[in-house]
Amino acid sequence: MNHLSAAVDWLLDAQTWTGPGQLGARATEHLGYTAVAVLIAAVIALPAGLAIGHTGRGRAAAVLSSGAVRALPTLGLLTLAALAAGVGLVAPLIALVVLAVPSILAGAYAGVESVDRATVDAARAQGMNAWQVLWRVEVPLGLPIVIGGLRLAVLQVTATATLAAYVGAGGLGRPLFLGLRTYDYPMMLGASLVVILLAILLDACFEVVQRLLSYAPGLARTGRLREAR
Amino acid sequence: MIEFERAGKTYPDGTVAVGEFSLRIPSHTTTVLLGSSGCGKTTLLRMVNRMVDPTSGRVLIDGEDVAQEAPVALRRRIGYVMQNSGLLPHRRVIDNIATVPRLTGMPRGAAHERARELMRTVGLDSGLARRYPGQLSGGQQQRVGVARALASDPNILLMDEPFGAVDPLVRMELQRELRRLQTQLRKTILFVTHDIDEALALGDQIVVLQPGGQIAQAGTPEEIVAAPANDFVARFLGLDAGRRSLRARPQPGGGWLVSDAGGRPLGVLPDDPAREGPG
Ligand SMILES: Nc1ncnc2c1ncn2[C@@H]1O[C@H](COP(=O)(O)OP(=O)(O)OP(=O)(O)O)[C@@H](O)[C@H]1O
Ligand SMILES: [Mg+2]
């Protein structure tokens, strides 16, 4: 409890937040890493996942490789990447992208698969081509689940982006590791709290988006993502 | 004109849905495919718009093999009403009806104008235009399905048990309206049903199917009722159970009570039907 109140005091101190290398800048970096990693992962995983869901091909391979990748310890991966790419941003970004891809991929194909086959059949029968079926029927109807995948990825990456500091990059991992090394527990705890808060905040944003989508008629229910995995 | 030339379909799993089917469907008439569940009706219907490609034989529209046509273009020029309406749940009624015109590049405003016109044609209240399919009754959904199929003014209309999921009253009303529409639009309609009364109500030509898409009998409703080709057709019509051997008994207050062979009352006949004119 002592540490906790000290951590809160530390967080409430304006000094903690302002200036370069301080918490405000760290949090911004942290958000930036998260955004870039999820963006890169989405660019890779969304097209692949949508293609798998639409064609039904490559699903087994995706499930298997996602499982394998999920089993990789991120810290080990980060160390490997750092050995190859050196210290800096590249290694943590690689590790974070690898972390985010499986969730986004699963969300994308599960989203497309969740769409009633009869609806897809009807769309084809009216004369939609494959591309139109995907963008006008499968993606909009499966959207809540696709977004569910992104939501999970953002949550995972936000929590794990602290590891960037482990190989010399910034982010909220900096004060966290610094506090750990210097036995500055309020700093360490305070930084952790900010990470948690950030994760909750981002998750809440997705919650709002998904709630709004749940008012749109005909769309998939988000509970399905959990079933699909 | 649509022609099936020894068309057959064996699905990849080995199911022979249609053995060998030959039929000529004249333009501007309604042909009903009548048969019990699983006899290959849907498979036959979908051969016309290439949702199913025959594994043997061919299907011709106005002398042209449909296999030569790009499926997407073909489907856009053939109206298709599906068994469970097949509407897009995330699109409003008006956008569902406007689907094909929009696909073929008609501007939104014009497509909506056309959709509103079609809603009137099929007897849908214009107030329903902004609703989603999930907010409609089964009968209303089927009307939307019919309107959508008519949107690009196709020459051919494929209807797969379109009124199967609605109650008998609504069903009869929809049948009546389809007949009215057909006198007006004169499409080439291929209509699938397993309901003999529906077939008799709508068909210029009725094709009674046996499992495997085998034709048990093809003919006008009169021909089929008056001279069923075999026991299968007779049974399908309910002739063997006496459902269509009618008796008339004079009623005390004038007129006749009509019943079937089993004595079940079917209706009343006025004293002089000729003078009253057709109901
Ligand atoms: N995609 C498919 N793969 C394998 N078999 C199929 C497929 N589609 C239909 N069949 C089989 O082909 C046969 C004919 O099916 P079809 O759907 O044409 O029947 P139907 O007359 O329309 O039946 P219903 O009145 O129940 O709609 C059935 O035995 C069915 O199980
Ligand atoms: Mg069928």
Side-chain angles (χ1 to χ4, degrees), chain B residues 9-18 33-46 52 83 160-161 192-194 209-210 212-213:
Chain B
K9 176 69 185 182
T10 305
Y11 283 105
D13 65 358
T15 312
V16 182
V18 177
L33 298 180
L34 174 66
S36 43
S37 195
C39 70
K41 306 181 297 292
T42 298
T43 303
L44 282 167
L45 198 72
R46 287 162 74 93
V52 167
Q83 181 153 15
D160 193 351
E161 305 197 31
V192 162
T193 182
H194 57 247
L209 291 175
Q210 270 167 280

Side-chain angles (χ1 to χ4, degrees), chain A residues 10 14-29 170-171 174-175 178 187:
Chain A
W10 181 70
Q15 280 279 288
T16 311
W17 291 87
T18 48
Q22 297 300 309
L23 209 53
R26 292 296 172 224
T28 313
E29 276 171 356
R174 267 286 181 78
L178 185 64
M187 179 192 271

Side-chain angles (χ1 to χ4, degrees), chain A residues 119 121-129 132 136-137 140-141 217-219, chain B residues 46 49 51 72 75-76 80 82 86 88-91 99-100 103 132 148:
Chain A
T119 304
D121 182 80
R124 289 182 57 229
Q126 297 303 318
M128 288 196 190
N129 61 34
Q132 290 161 336
R136 300 184 189 196
V137 179
L141 286 175
L219 269 51
Chain B
R46 287 162 74 93
N49 67 356
M51 286 300 284
V72 166
R75 288 168 196 154
R76 287 179 187 172
Y80 185 17
M82 308 181 82
L88 300 177
H90 61 305
R91 296 237 177 135
T99 301
V100 178
L103 286 175
Y132 289 92
R148 177 176 68 172

Side-chain angles (χ1 to χ4, degrees), chain B residues 20-38:
Chain B
E20 195 182 286
F21 183 87
S22 297
L23 181 73
R24 186 175 283 236
I25 295 159
S27 298
H28 313 298
T29 64
T30 303
T31 295
V32 176
L33 298 180
L34 174 66
S36 43
S37 195

